[in-house]
Amino acid sequence: MQGEWAGETVGPDVWETCRELIPAGSVFAFLAEHRERLLPPEMFADMYPSANGRPSLPPQVLATAVVLQSLFGTSDVETVLELRCDLRWKAACGLGLNDTAFDPSLLTYFRRRLQRSSDPGRIFTRVKEVVAATGILRGKRRRALDSTVFDDAVATQDTVTQLISAIRRVIREVPGAGRVAAGHCTAHDYTDPGKPKIAWDDEQARAGLVDALVTDALNLLGRLPEQELGERAANAVGLLALVAGQDVEPAEGSDGRDGRWRITQGTVRDRVVSTVDPEARHIHKNRTRHQEGFKGHVAVEPETGLFTEVALAAGCGPENHEAKIAEDLLAAEDEPCEVLGDSAYGTADLRDHLEQQGHDAVLKPPPLRAAVPGGFTSDDFHIDTENGQVTCPAGHIVPLGKPRKTGLRQAQFKKLCAGCPLRERCTTSKTGRVLQVHPQHQRLADARAQATDPAWKDTYRRWRPPVERGIAWLTTKGNRRLRYLGTLKNDTWLRNRAAALNLRRLVNLGLEVAADGTWTLTPATP
Protein backbone atom coordinates (compact mmCIF):
# COMPACT_ATOMS: atom_id res chain seq x y z
CA MET A 1 0.00 0.00 0.00
CA GLN A 2 1.06 3.59 -0.55
CA GLY A 3 2.86 5.19 2.35
CA GLU A 4 2.10 8.71 3.56
CA TRP A 5 4.39 11.42 4.81
CA ALA A 6 4.04 11.65 8.60
CA GLY A 7 5.61 15.09 8.83
CA GLU A 8 8.29 13.92 11.27
CA THR A 9 11.99 13.63 10.45
CA VAL A 10 14.82 11.63 12.00
CA GLY A 11 16.75 14.39 13.66
CA PRO A 12 16.51 18.09 12.84
CA ASP A 13 14.87 19.03 9.55
CA VAL A 14 17.79 19.85 7.25
CA TRP A 15 15.89 22.41 5.19
CA GLU A 16 14.70 24.28 8.27
CA THR A 17 17.99 24.24 10.18
CA CYS A 18 20.61 24.34 7.39
CA ARG A 19 18.83 26.36 4.71
CA GLU A 20 21.72 28.81 4.36
CA LEU A 21 24.03 25.90 3.45
CA ILE A 22 21.88 24.80 0.49
CA PRO A 23 22.84 26.72 -2.68
CA ALA A 24 20.10 29.23 -3.43
CA GLY A 25 18.60 28.90 -6.90
CA SER A 26 19.68 25.27 -7.16
CA VAL A 27 17.56 22.22 -7.96
CA PHE A 28 18.13 21.08 -4.37
CA ALA A 29 16.67 24.26 -2.90
CA PHE A 30 13.75 24.19 -5.33
CA LEU A 31 12.84 20.57 -4.47
CA ALA A 32 13.20 21.24 -0.76
CA GLU A 33 10.70 24.09 -1.05
CA HIS A 34 8.28 22.74 -3.69
CA ARG A 35 8.74 18.94 -3.70
CA GLU A 36 5.21 18.18 -2.51
CA ARG A 37 3.69 20.51 -5.09
CA LEU A 38 5.79 19.25 -7.99
CA LEU A 39 5.38 15.55 -7.16
CA PRO A 40 2.19 15.20 -5.10
CA PRO A 41 1.36 11.80 -3.54
CA GLU A 42 -1.83 11.37 -5.60
CA MET A 43 0.29 11.42 -8.73
CA PHE A 44 1.47 7.89 -7.83
CA ALA A 45 -1.73 6.46 -6.34
CA ASP A 46 -2.37 4.06 -9.25
CA MET A 47 1.05 2.47 -8.69
CA TYR A 48 -0.10 1.25 -5.25
CA PRO A 49 -3.57 -0.20 -5.90
CA SER A 50 -3.72 -2.41 -2.80
CA ALA A 51 -4.96 -1.01 0.50
CA ASN A 52 -3.38 -3.92 2.37
CA GLY A 53 0.17 -4.71 3.37
CA ARG A 54 3.00 -2.71 4.84
CA PRO A 55 2.99 0.98 3.84
CA SER A 56 5.67 1.89 1.35
CA LEU A 57 8.12 4.72 1.68
CA PRO A 58 6.24 7.87 0.56
CA PRO A 59 6.49 7.81 -3.27
CA GLN A 60 7.22 11.53 -3.51
CA VAL A 61 10.45 10.91 -1.59
CA LEU A 62 11.46 8.11 -3.94
CA ALA A 63 10.42 10.15 -6.99
CA THR A 64 12.55 13.08 -5.82
CA ALA A 65 15.48 10.73 -5.33
CA VAL A 66 14.95 9.35 -8.86
CA VAL A 67 14.93 12.90 -10.28
CA LEU A 68 18.24 13.70 -8.59
CA GLN A 69 19.66 10.32 -9.55
CA SER A 70 18.72 10.93 -13.18
CA LEU A 71 20.19 14.43 -13.08
CA PHE A 72 23.55 13.46 -11.61
CA GLY A 73 23.90 9.97 -13.10
CA THR A 74 24.41 8.10 -9.83
CA SER A 75 23.83 4.40 -9.19
CA ASP A 76 21.29 3.22 -6.62
CA VAL A 77 24.02 2.67 -4.01
CA GLU A 78 25.59 6.06 -4.74
CA THR A 79 22.16 7.73 -4.53
CA VAL A 80 21.50 6.31 -1.06
CA LEU A 81 25.00 7.32 0.03
CA GLU A 82 24.29 10.90 -1.08
CA LEU A 83 21.03 10.85 0.87
CA ARG A 84 22.89 9.77 3.99
CA CYS A 85 25.87 12.14 3.74
CA ASP A 86 24.94 15.17 1.61
CA LEU A 87 22.87 17.93 3.19
CA ARG A 88 21.66 19.08 -0.23
CA TRP A 89 20.15 15.69 -1.07
CA LYS A 90 18.61 15.38 2.42
CA ALA A 91 16.96 18.79 2.10
CA ALA A 92 15.66 18.07 -1.40
CA CYS A 93 14.03 14.80 -0.29
CA GLY A 94 12.79 16.09 3.07
CA LEU A 95 14.99 13.86 5.23
CA GLY A 96 16.21 14.67 8.70
CA LEU A 97 19.83 15.22 9.62
CA ASN A 98 20.19 11.79 11.24
CA ASP A 99 18.17 9.91 8.63
CA THR A 100 20.11 6.99 7.09
CA ALA A 101 17.71 6.97 4.09
CA PHE A 102 16.65 3.52 2.86
CA ASP A 103 17.91 0.37 1.21
CA PRO A 104 18.99 0.86 -2.44
CA SER A 105 16.61 -1.89 -3.54
CA LEU A 106 13.65 0.45 -2.88
CA LEU A 107 14.73 2.53 -5.89
CA THR A 108 14.64 -0.63 -8.00
CA TYR A 109 11.17 -1.50 -6.77
CA PHE A 110 9.94 2.06 -7.39
CA ARG A 111 11.26 2.11 -10.95
CA ARG A 112 9.69 -1.28 -11.55
CA ARG A 113 6.30 0.00 -10.42
CA LEU A 114 6.80 3.05 -12.62
CA GLN A 115 7.70 0.95 -15.67
CA ARG A 116 4.71 -1.36 -15.22
CA SER A 117 2.24 1.48 -14.69
CA SER A 118 -0.05 3.03 -17.26
CA ASP A 119 2.29 6.03 -17.62
CA PRO A 120 5.98 5.12 -17.13
CA GLY A 121 6.98 8.64 -18.16
CA ARG A 122 4.76 10.44 -15.67
CA ILE A 123 7.60 12.43 -14.11
CA PHE A 124 8.51 13.81 -17.54
CA THR A 125 4.82 14.45 -18.21
CA ARG A 126 4.51 16.32 -14.90
CA VAL A 127 7.47 18.58 -15.69
CA LYS A 128 5.96 19.25 -19.12
CA GLU A 129 2.81 20.43 -17.34
CA VAL A 130 4.93 22.83 -15.30
CA VAL A 131 6.59 24.06 -18.52
CA ALA A 132 3.17 24.70 -20.05
CA ALA A 133 1.95 26.49 -16.90
CA THR A 134 4.86 28.94 -16.97
CA GLY A 135 4.05 29.91 -20.57
CA ILE A 136 7.72 29.82 -21.52
CA LEU A 137 6.93 28.02 -24.78
CA ARG A 138 4.04 30.29 -25.71
CA GLY A 139 4.61 31.51 -29.26
CA LYS A 140 7.73 29.40 -29.68
CA ARG A 141 6.73 26.98 -32.43
CA ARG A 142 10.07 25.60 -33.57
CA ARG A 143 11.00 22.00 -32.82
CA ALA A 144 14.47 20.65 -33.60
CA LEU A 145 14.75 16.86 -33.93
CA ASP A 146 17.77 14.62 -33.50
CA SER A 147 18.85 11.16 -32.37
CA THR A 148 21.88 9.68 -30.66
CA VAL A 149 23.16 6.21 -29.82
CA PHE A 150 23.22 5.06 -26.21
CA ASP A 151 25.65 2.24 -25.46
CA ASP A 152 24.06 -0.84 -23.94
CA ALA A 153 24.81 -1.96 -20.39
CA VAL A 154 26.28 -5.33 -21.39
CA ALA A 155 29.27 -6.60 -23.33
CA THR A 156 28.85 -7.61 -26.97
CA GLN A 157 29.04 -11.40 -27.27
CA ASP A 158 30.59 -13.45 -30.06
CA THR A 159 28.71 -16.32 -31.72
CA VAL A 160 30.17 -19.04 -29.48
CA THR A 161 29.36 -17.15 -26.27
CA GLN A 162 25.80 -16.44 -27.44
CA LEU A 163 25.13 -20.07 -28.37
CA ILE A 164 26.42 -21.40 -25.05
CA SER A 165 24.56 -18.75 -23.06
CA ALA A 166 21.29 -19.38 -24.91
CA ILE A 167 21.56 -23.16 -24.44
CA ARG A 168 22.23 -22.68 -20.71
CA ARG A 169 19.17 -20.45 -20.43
CA VAL A 170 16.92 -23.07 -22.03
CA ILE A 171 18.33 -25.75 -19.71
CA ARG A 172 17.68 -23.47 -16.73
CA GLU A 173 14.21 -22.20 -17.67
CA VAL A 174 12.46 -25.04 -19.56
CA PRO A 175 11.25 -28.07 -17.57
CA GLY A 176 12.84 -31.26 -18.90
CA ALA A 177 15.48 -29.45 -20.97
CA GLY A 178 18.27 -30.62 -18.66
CA ARG A 179 17.56 -34.28 -19.40
CA VAL A 180 17.50 -33.60 -23.15
CA ALA A 181 20.79 -31.72 -22.94
CA ALA A 182 22.45 -34.49 -20.94
CA GLY A 183 21.58 -37.03 -23.61
CA HIS A 184 21.99 -35.09 -26.84
CA CYS A 185 24.22 -32.03 -26.26
CA THR A 186 27.90 -33.03 -26.34
CA ALA A 187 29.79 -30.01 -27.72
CA HIS A 188 30.44 -28.51 -24.29
CA ASP A 189 29.86 -29.08 -20.59
CA TYR A 190 27.10 -26.52 -20.07
CA THR A 191 27.52 -26.65 -16.29
CA ASP A 192 31.05 -25.27 -16.74
CA PRO A 193 30.95 -21.44 -16.52
CA GLY A 194 34.01 -21.06 -18.74
CA LYS A 195 34.47 -21.24 -22.50
CA PRO A 196 35.18 -24.55 -24.26
CA LYS A 197 38.80 -25.67 -24.00
CA ILE A 198 40.03 -25.64 -27.59
CA ALA A 199 42.94 -24.15 -29.49
CA TRP A 200 41.32 -20.80 -30.23
CA ASP A 201 44.04 -19.85 -32.71
CA ASP A 202 43.20 -22.96 -34.77
CA GLU A 203 40.64 -22.03 -37.42
CA GLN A 204 39.63 -25.65 -37.97
CA ALA A 205 39.05 -26.17 -34.24
CA ARG A 206 36.89 -23.03 -34.05
CA ALA A 207 34.86 -24.13 -37.06
CA GLY A 208 34.35 -27.56 -35.51
CA LEU A 209 33.16 -26.02 -32.24
CA VAL A 210 30.63 -23.77 -34.00
CA ASP A 211 29.34 -26.74 -35.97
CA ALA A 212 28.94 -28.80 -32.79
CA LEU A 213 27.27 -25.99 -30.82
CA VAL A 214 24.70 -25.36 -33.55
CA THR A 215 24.00 -29.10 -33.69
CA ASP A 216 23.50 -29.11 -29.91
CA ALA A 217 21.09 -26.17 -30.18
CA LEU A 218 19.04 -27.86 -32.90
CA ASN A 219 19.00 -31.15 -30.98
CA LEU A 220 17.82 -29.38 -27.84
CA LEU A 221 15.10 -27.43 -29.64
CA GLY A 222 13.89 -30.48 -31.56
CA ARG A 223 13.67 -32.78 -28.54
CA LEU A 224 12.10 -30.55 -25.89
CA PRO A 225 9.00 -32.14 -24.29
CA GLU A 226 5.72 -30.89 -25.69
CA GLN A 227 4.26 -28.65 -23.00
CA GLU A 228 2.80 -25.22 -22.44
CA LEU A 229 5.62 -22.82 -21.64
CA GLY A 230 5.60 -19.85 -19.35
CA GLU A 231 6.85 -16.44 -20.47
CA ARG A 232 10.45 -16.92 -19.32
CA ALA A 233 10.70 -20.40 -20.81
CA ALA A 234 9.14 -19.32 -24.11
CA ASN A 235 11.52 -16.38 -24.34
CA ALA A 236 14.49 -18.68 -23.70
CA VAL A 237 13.41 -21.09 -26.46
CA GLY A 238 12.78 -18.25 -28.91
CA LEU A 239 16.17 -16.66 -28.16
CA LEU A 240 18.01 -19.95 -28.73
CA ALA A 241 16.23 -20.46 -32.05
CA LEU A 242 17.19 -16.92 -33.08
CA VAL A 243 20.83 -17.17 -32.01
CA ALA A 244 21.27 -20.60 -33.60
CA GLY A 245 20.18 -19.24 -36.96
CA GLN A 246 21.42 -15.63 -37.14
CA ASP A 247 25.18 -16.17 -37.38
CA VAL A 248 25.54 -19.50 -39.15
CA GLU A 249 25.00 -20.96 -42.60
CA PRO A 250 25.46 -24.42 -44.14
CA ALA A 251 29.15 -25.33 -44.46
CA GLU A 252 30.79 -25.38 -47.86
CA GLY A 253 29.40 -28.24 -49.91
CA SER A 254 26.43 -28.71 -47.54
CA ASP A 255 22.77 -28.14 -48.26
CA GLY A 256 21.95 -27.67 -44.60
CA ARG A 257 20.49 -31.12 -44.08
CA ASP A 258 23.66 -32.99 -43.10
CA GLY A 259 24.27 -31.02 -39.89
CA ARG A 260 27.42 -29.17 -41.02
CA TRP A 261 27.54 -25.46 -40.19
CA ARG A 262 29.90 -22.51 -40.26
CA ILE A 263 29.83 -18.85 -39.19
CA THR A 264 28.18 -16.85 -41.94
CA GLN A 265 30.12 -14.27 -43.90
CA GLY A 266 28.87 -10.77 -43.04
CA THR A 267 26.33 -9.58 -40.48
CA VAL A 268 22.61 -10.21 -40.69
CA ARG A 269 20.17 -7.36 -40.21
CA ASP A 270 18.62 -7.00 -36.76
CA ARG A 271 21.32 -9.19 -35.21
CA VAL A 272 21.11 -9.90 -31.47
CA VAL A 273 24.44 -8.80 -29.98
CA SER A 274 24.00 -10.23 -26.48
CA THR A 275 21.80 -12.85 -24.83
CA VAL A 276 21.92 -10.79 -21.63
CA ASP A 277 20.04 -7.94 -23.35
CA PRO A 278 18.42 -9.42 -26.48
CA GLU A 279 16.89 -6.05 -27.40
CA ALA A 280 20.26 -4.31 -27.95
CA ARG A 281 21.41 -4.04 -31.57
CA HIS A 282 24.31 -3.07 -33.83
CA ILE A 283 23.75 0.56 -34.80
CA HIS A 284 25.48 2.44 -37.60
CA LYS A 285 25.19 6.16 -36.93
CA ASN A 286 27.23 6.74 -40.08
CA ARG A 287 29.24 4.69 -42.59
CA THR A 288 32.37 4.50 -40.45
CA ARG A 289 31.15 4.36 -36.85
CA HIS A 290 29.02 1.70 -35.23
CA GLN A 291 27.96 1.01 -31.65
CA GLU A 292 25.84 -1.53 -29.80
CA GLY A 293 22.81 -0.37 -27.86
CA PHE A 294 19.69 1.72 -28.46
CA LYS A 295 18.78 4.98 -30.14
CA GLY A 296 17.50 7.94 -28.19
CA HIS A 297 15.28 10.44 -30.03
CA VAL A 298 14.56 14.00 -28.89
CA ALA A 299 12.53 17.04 -29.86
CA VAL A 300 13.89 20.32 -28.47
CA GLU A 301 12.58 23.88 -28.46
CA PRO A 302 15.78 25.59 -29.69
CA GLU A 303 15.37 29.00 -27.99
CA THR A 304 14.97 27.63 -24.46
CA GLY A 305 16.72 24.26 -24.87
CA LEU A 306 13.75 22.45 -23.28
CA PHE A 307 12.93 18.89 -24.31
CA THR A 308 9.36 18.78 -25.60
CA GLU A 309 9.41 15.01 -26.16
CA VAL A 310 11.88 12.13 -25.95
CA ALA A 311 11.82 8.44 -26.78
CA LEU A 312 14.20 5.50 -26.75
CA ALA A 313 13.80 2.71 -29.31
CA ALA A 314 15.64 -0.23 -30.79
CA GLY A 315 18.50 0.65 -33.07
CA CYS A 316 17.28 -0.85 -36.33
CA GLY A 317 14.15 -1.64 -38.30
CA PRO A 318 11.90 0.66 -40.36
CA GLU A 319 9.55 1.20 -37.42
CA ASN A 320 12.47 2.66 -35.43
CA HIS A 321 13.82 4.94 -38.14
CA GLU A 322 14.29 8.59 -37.15
CA ALA A 323 11.63 9.76 -39.61
CA LYS A 324 9.08 7.32 -38.15
CA ILE A 325 9.84 8.15 -34.52
CA ALA A 326 9.56 11.85 -35.42
CA GLU A 327 5.83 11.41 -35.96
CA ASP A 328 5.47 10.30 -32.32
CA LEU A 329 7.72 13.11 -31.04
CA LEU A 330 5.39 15.67 -32.62
CA ALA A 331 2.09 13.91 -31.95
CA ALA A 332 1.24 16.02 -28.88
CA GLU A 333 1.79 19.38 -30.62
CA ASP A 334 -1.57 21.17 -30.80
CA GLU A 335 -0.40 23.97 -33.11
CA PRO A 336 1.57 23.99 -36.38
CA CYS A 337 5.35 23.97 -35.86
CA GLU A 338 8.47 24.64 -37.85
CA VAL A 339 10.21 21.27 -37.69
CA LEU A 340 13.99 21.16 -38.15
CA GLY A 341 16.00 18.01 -38.71
CA ASP A 342 19.05 16.62 -40.46
CA SER A 343 19.02 14.33 -43.49
CA ALA A 344 17.87 11.33 -41.43
CA TYR A 345 14.48 13.08 -41.17
CA GLY A 346 14.39 14.19 -44.79
CA THR A 347 12.27 11.32 -46.14
CA ALA A 348 9.34 11.94 -48.44
CA ASP A 349 6.97 10.09 -46.07
CA LEU A 350 7.77 12.38 -43.14
CA ARG A 351 7.41 15.45 -45.36
CA ASP A 352 3.95 14.22 -46.39
CA HIS A 353 3.01 13.60 -42.75
CA LEU A 354 4.17 17.05 -41.62
CA GLU A 355 2.28 18.69 -44.45
CA GLN A 356 -0.90 16.85 -43.47
CA GLN A 357 -0.47 18.01 -39.86
CA GLY A 358 0.08 21.61 -40.93
CA HIS A 359 3.73 21.74 -39.91
CA ASP A 360 6.44 23.53 -41.87
CA ALA A 361 9.33 21.17 -42.69
CA VAL A 362 12.88 22.52 -42.56
CA LEU A 363 14.52 19.15 -43.10
CA LYS A 364 17.86 18.62 -44.75
CA PRO A 365 17.30 16.43 -47.85
CA PRO A 366 19.25 13.16 -48.11
CA PRO A 367 22.40 13.65 -50.20
CA LEU A 368 22.63 12.28 -53.72
CA ARG A 369 25.60 10.04 -54.44
CA ALA A 370 27.05 10.04 -57.93
CA ALA A 371 28.02 6.74 -59.52
CA VAL A 372 31.32 8.42 -60.42
CA PRO A 373 32.97 10.83 -57.94
CA GLY A 374 32.11 14.34 -59.13
CA GLY A 375 29.90 12.92 -61.85
CA PHE A 376 26.20 13.12 -62.66
CA THR A 377 23.47 12.53 -60.08
CA SER A 378 19.77 12.02 -60.66
CA ASP A 379 19.28 15.80 -60.55
CA ASP A 380 21.26 16.04 -63.80
CA PHE A 381 18.64 13.89 -65.54
CA HIS A 382 15.27 15.26 -66.64
CA ILE A 383 12.77 12.88 -65.06
CA ASP A 384 9.24 13.22 -66.39
CA THR A 385 7.12 10.96 -64.21
CA GLU A 386 3.86 12.11 -65.79
CA ASN A 387 4.88 11.02 -69.29
CA GLY A 388 7.04 8.15 -68.03
CA GLN A 389 10.36 9.07 -69.61
CA VAL A 390 13.84 10.18 -68.60
CA THR A 391 16.35 12.30 -70.51
CA CYS A 392 20.04 11.92 -69.67
CA PRO A 393 22.62 14.77 -69.73
CA ALA A 394 23.63 13.69 -73.25
CA GLY A 395 20.05 14.06 -74.50
CA HIS A 396 19.14 10.37 -74.78
CA ILE A 397 15.50 9.60 -73.90
CA VAL A 398 14.34 6.25 -72.48
CA PRO A 399 11.02 5.10 -71.01
CA LEU A 400 10.57 4.92 -67.24
CA GLY A 401 9.85 1.37 -66.13
CA LYS A 402 6.99 0.17 -63.96
CA PRO A 403 7.33 0.32 -60.17
CA ARG A 404 9.22 -2.62 -58.67
CA LYS A 405 8.51 -4.27 -55.31
CA THR A 406 10.56 -1.60 -53.57
CA GLY A 407 8.56 1.15 -55.30
CA LEU A 408 11.58 2.23 -57.35
CA ARG A 409 11.32 2.68 -61.11
CA GLN A 410 14.20 2.15 -63.52
CA ALA A 411 15.37 4.06 -66.58
CA GLN A 412 17.76 1.81 -68.50
CA PHE A 413 20.15 3.62 -70.85
CA LYS A 414 22.59 0.72 -71.26
CA LYS A 415 23.32 0.47 -75.01
CA LEU A 416 22.89 4.22 -75.42
CA CYS A 417 25.96 4.68 -73.21
CA ALA A 418 28.21 3.00 -75.79
CA GLY A 419 30.37 5.67 -77.35
CA CYS A 420 28.74 8.47 -75.32
CA PRO A 421 31.26 11.29 -74.69
CA LEU A 422 29.83 11.81 -71.16
CA ARG A 423 30.06 8.17 -70.10
CA GLU A 424 33.11 8.63 -67.87
CA ARG A 425 31.17 11.20 -65.80
CA CYS A 426 28.03 9.07 -65.65
CA THR A 427 28.77 5.39 -64.94
CA THR A 428 31.46 2.78 -64.39
CA SER A 429 29.18 -0.10 -65.41
CA LYS A 430 30.29 -2.07 -68.45
CA THR A 431 26.67 -2.47 -69.54
CA GLY A 432 25.75 1.22 -69.19
CA ARG A 433 23.78 3.42 -66.79
CA VAL A 434 20.60 2.26 -65.06
CA LEU A 435 18.93 5.13 -63.17
CA GLN A 436 16.86 4.30 -60.09
CA VAL A 437 13.95 6.71 -59.65
CA HIS A 438 12.38 7.12 -56.19
CA PRO A 439 8.57 6.72 -56.07
CA GLN A 440 8.35 10.26 -54.64
CA HIS A 441 11.12 11.68 -56.78
CA GLN A 442 9.50 15.06 -57.39
CA ARG A 443 8.92 15.79 -53.69
CA LEU A 444 12.55 15.02 -52.85
CA ALA A 445 13.79 17.01 -55.86
CA ASP A 446 11.72 19.99 -54.70
CA ALA A 447 13.22 19.61 -51.20
CA ARG A 448 16.74 19.65 -52.61
CA ALA A 449 15.94 22.76 -54.60
CA GLN A 450 14.43 24.42 -51.52
CA ALA A 451 17.59 23.63 -49.51
CA THR A 452 19.64 25.83 -51.86
CA ASP A 453 17.65 28.94 -50.93
CA PRO A 454 19.75 31.31 -48.73
CA ALA A 455 16.80 32.05 -46.43
CA TRP A 456 16.25 28.31 -45.87
CA LYS A 457 19.95 27.86 -45.11
CA ASP A 458 19.92 30.74 -42.61
CA THR A 459 16.94 29.25 -40.75
CA TYR A 460 18.45 25.77 -40.67
CA ARG A 461 21.88 26.94 -39.52
CA ARG A 462 20.44 29.13 -36.78
CA TRP A 463 17.82 26.87 -35.23
CA ARG A 464 18.94 23.29 -35.96
CA PRO A 465 22.28 23.24 -34.01
CA PRO A 466 20.78 23.87 -30.51
CA VAL A 467 19.44 20.31 -30.46
CA GLU A 468 23.06 19.12 -30.44
CA ARG A 469 23.46 20.93 -27.12
CA GLY A 470 20.45 19.03 -25.80
CA ILE A 471 22.02 15.74 -26.86
CA ALA A 472 25.24 16.76 -25.10
CA TRP A 473 23.30 17.46 -21.88
CA LEU A 474 21.67 14.02 -22.08
CA THR A 475 24.92 12.11 -22.55
CA THR A 476 27.42 14.06 -20.46
CA LYS A 477 29.23 12.62 -17.41
CA GLY A 478 28.95 8.97 -18.42
CA ASN A 479 25.26 9.01 -19.26
CA ARG A 480 25.82 7.73 -22.79
CA ARG A 481 26.23 4.25 -21.33
CA LEU A 482 22.92 2.87 -20.15
CA ARG A 483 22.45 1.24 -16.75
CA TYR A 484 19.48 -0.99 -17.47
CA LEU A 485 18.43 -3.83 -19.78
CA GLY A 486 15.70 -3.63 -22.40
CA THR A 487 13.86 -0.89 -24.22
CA LEU A 488 11.19 -0.15 -21.59
CA LYS A 489 13.56 0.34 -18.66
CA ASN A 490 15.92 2.52 -20.64
CA ASP A 491 13.08 4.53 -22.19
CA THR A 492 11.81 5.26 -18.67
CA TRP A 493 15.33 6.32 -17.64
CA LEU A 494 15.62 8.64 -20.65
CA ARG A 495 12.31 10.31 -19.82
CA ASN A 496 13.36 10.75 -16.19
CA ARG A 497 16.66 12.27 -17.25
CA ALA A 498 14.97 14.65 -19.69
CA ALA A 499 12.55 15.63 -16.92
CA ALA A 500 15.45 16.35 -14.54
CA LEU A 501 17.29 18.42 -17.18
CA ASN A 502 14.12 20.38 -17.98
CA LEU A 503 13.58 21.03 -14.28
CA ARG A 504 17.14 22.28 -13.87
CA ARG A 505 16.68 24.56 -16.86
CA LEU A 506 13.45 25.97 -15.43
CA VAL A 507 15.05 26.52 -12.03
CA ASN A 508 17.92 28.38 -13.69
CA LEU A 509 15.32 30.56 -15.43
CA GLY A 510 13.72 31.42 -12.08
CA LEU A 511 10.93 28.85 -11.57
CA GLU A 512 8.78 29.79 -8.58
CA VAL A 513 5.23 29.46 -7.27
CA ALA A 514 3.27 32.71 -7.53
CA ALA A 515 0.99 34.07 -4.80
CA ASP A 516 -2.05 32.57 -6.53
CA GLY A 517 -0.42 29.11 -6.54
CA THR A 518 0.53 29.01 -10.22
CA TRP A 519 3.95 28.22 -11.63
CA THR A 520 5.84 31.25 -12.86
CA LEU A 521 9.31 32.29 -13.98
CA THR A 522 10.97 35.09 -12.06
CA PRO A 523 14.46 35.70 -13.45
CA ALA A 524 17.06 36.54 -10.84
CA THR A 525 18.06 40.20 -10.72
CA PRO A 526 21.78 40.89 -11.35
Side-chain angles (χ1 to χ4, degrees):
M1 63 181 294
Q2 180 172 335
E4 297 181 359
W5 182 253
E8 299 179 358
T9 60
V10 181
D13 185 290
V14 173
W15 180 237
E16 294 297 331
T17 59
C18 305
R19 185 180 301 229
E20 65 279 3
L21 300 178
I22 311 301
S26 67
V27 172
F28 299 104
F30 176 83
L31 288 173
E33 188 73 30
H34 304 295
R35 176 186 62 255
E36 294 286 332
R37 182 175 181 82
L38 178 68
L39 303 169
E42 57 270 17
M43 175 178 162
F44 306 98
D46 64 297
M47 293 167 48
Y48 302 86
S50 176
N52 302 318
R54 181 180 178 182
S56 69
L57 193 71
Q60 63 271 32
V61 175
L62 290 169
T64 304
V66 165
V67 169
L68 293 174
Q69 178 185 40
S70 302
L71 181 61
F72 294 100
T74 54
S75 67
D76 290 350
V77 172
E78 291 168 340
T79 298
V80 172
L81 189 61
E82 295 286 1
L83 288 170
R84 289 177 180 174
C85 305
D86 194 314
L87 292 178
R88 300 171 304 170
W89 286 64
K90 284 180 177 290
C93 294
L95 302 184
L97 183 62
N98 301 328
D99 202 319
T100 58
F102 44 79
D103 190 87
S105 63
L106 288 184
L107 289 170
T108 303
Y109 293 138
F110 180 76
R111 287 195 303 270
R112 187 177 300 168
R113 286 180 181 271
L114 199 59
Q115 291 151 10
R116 295 177 178 178
S117 70
S118 59
D119 184 11
R122 67 184 65 202
I123 296 177
F124 180 68
T125 302
R126 175 57 180 154
V127 175
K128 282 175 62 177
E129 292 173 356
V130 175
V131 170
T134 63
I136 188 174
L137 296 184
R138 192 174 298 120
K140 296 180 175 65
R141 304 310 307 165
R142 294 187 181 89
R143 300 292 180 266
L145 309 179
D146 203 2
S147 68
T148 190
V149 178
F150 287 94
D151 298 319
D152 59 3
V154 298
T156 302
Q157 297 175 325
D158 58 31
T159 302
V160 169
T161 303
Q162 287 201 48
L163 284 167
I164 294 174
S165 177
I167 290 173
R168 285 175 178 155
R169 181 176 292 188
V170 170
I171 294 173
R172 185 172 63 249
E173 300 291 348
V174 179
R179 293 191 300 273
V180 176
H184 299 279
C185 298
T186 59
H188 177 58
D189 179 7
Y190 296 101
T191 62
D192 183 351
K195 274 192 171 185
K197 297 175 176 61
I198 67 166
W200 288 99
D201 57 351
D202 185 338
E203 184 177 350
Q204 188 172 358
R206 294 198 308 270
L209 175 61
V210 170
D211 176 75
L213 288 173
V214 174
T215 300
D216 278 3
L218 297 178
N219 284 336
L220 182 57
L221 290 170
R223 289 177 168 81
L224 287 175
E226 292 189 8
Q227 57 187 313
E228 185 174 346
L229 300 177
E231 181 180 359
R232 291 172 63 91
N235 288 341
V237 171
L239 182 61
L240 177 57
L242 177 61
V243 169
Q246 71 172 359
D247 286 341
V248 297
E249 62 185 6
E252 187 175 357
S254 170
D255 60 0
R257 293 181 293 181
D258 57 1
R260 293 188 296 122
W261 307 92
R262 69 178 182 184
I263 295 179
T264 189
Q265 303 300 310
T267 303
V268 298
R269 291 181 62 85
D270 204 26
R271 180 182 183 270
V272 173
V273 298
S274 172
T275 57
V276 180
D277 189 353
E279 296 180 34
R281 292 293 184 270
H282 275 299
I283 303 174
H284 286 266
K285 185 64 175 174
N286 54 48
R287 287 177 173 265
T288 59
R289 179 185 176 190
H290 76 271
Q291 297 166 255
E292 284 75 38
F294 300 84
K295 266 190 181 180
H297 305 264
V298 303
V300 169
E301 196 292 305
E303 288 189 59
T304 61
L306 292 169
F307 296 96
T308 59
E309 189 57 79
V310 297
L312 185 135
C316 59
E319 69 280 4
N320 299 314
H321 190 275
E322 282 86 346
K324 191 64 178 176
I325 299 295
E327 298 179 11
D328 297 329
L329 296 179
L330 300 168
E333 298 293 343
D334 53 4
E335 294 182 20
C337 296
E338 184 177 72
V339 181
L340 303 104
D342 60 20
S343 58
Y345 299 91
T347 65
D349 289 341
L350 180 57
R351 293 176 188 276
D352 284 342
H353 175 79
L354 295 179
E355 183 178 316
Q356 293 169 8
Q357 299 299 315
H359 299 309
D360 183 17
V362 185
L363 307 174
K364 188 176 181 180
L368 293 176
R369 293 184 175 87
V372 178
F376 298 124
T377 67
S378 62
D379 279 351
D380 296 305
F381 291 72
H382 178 67
I383 301 173
D384 186 351
T385 54
E386 290 187 5
N387 296 315
Q389 62 183 25
V390 179
T391 305
C392 76
H396 300 300
I397 301 175
V398 298
L400 191 58
K402 294 182 179 180
R404 305 167 73 87
K405 289 183 178 179
T406 58
L408 296 174
R409 302 172 73 181
Q410 288 186 344
Q412 302 187 18
F413 291 90
K414 292 189 174 180
K415 293 181 180 180
L416 296 174
C417 297
C420 178
L422 300 179
R423 177 168 183 160
E424 291 184 358
R425 296 176 57 193
C426 191
T427 182
T428 58
S429 173
K430 293 181 180 180
T431 59
R433 180 72 180 260
V434 176
L435 183 68
Q436 306 287 345
V437 180
H438 193 277
Q440 292 178 289
H441 161 76
Q442 194 56 52
R443 174 172 281 278
L444 293 176
D446 292 343
R448 289 191 292 272
Q450 182 189 38
T452 63
D453 179 60
W456 187 96
K457 290 181 179 180
D458 289 343
T459 299
Y460 184 84
R461 290 169 179 167
R462 180 178 181 184
W463 299 115
R464 164 62 179 66
V467 71
E468 302 287 353
R469 183 172 64 239
I471 293 291
W473 287 343
L474 279 176
T475 58
T476 190
K477 297 183 178 178
N479 282 289
R480 185 174 292 280
R481 179 163 296 279
L482 299 168
R483 295 181 179 272
Y484 310 109
L485 305 181
T487 305
L488 177 59
K489 291 181 180 179
N490 287 311
D491 180 64
T492 304
W493 167 83
L494 180 62
R495 293 177 183 278
N496 288 341
R497 178 150 177 81
L501 291 170
N502 275 356
L503 180 62
R504 184 181 67 181
R505 178 63 175 151
L506 290 173
V507 170
N508 289 340
L509 292 172
L511 182 62
E512 286 290 346
V513 177
D516 60 357
T518 59
W519 297 104
T520 184
L521 295 178
T522 307
T525 56

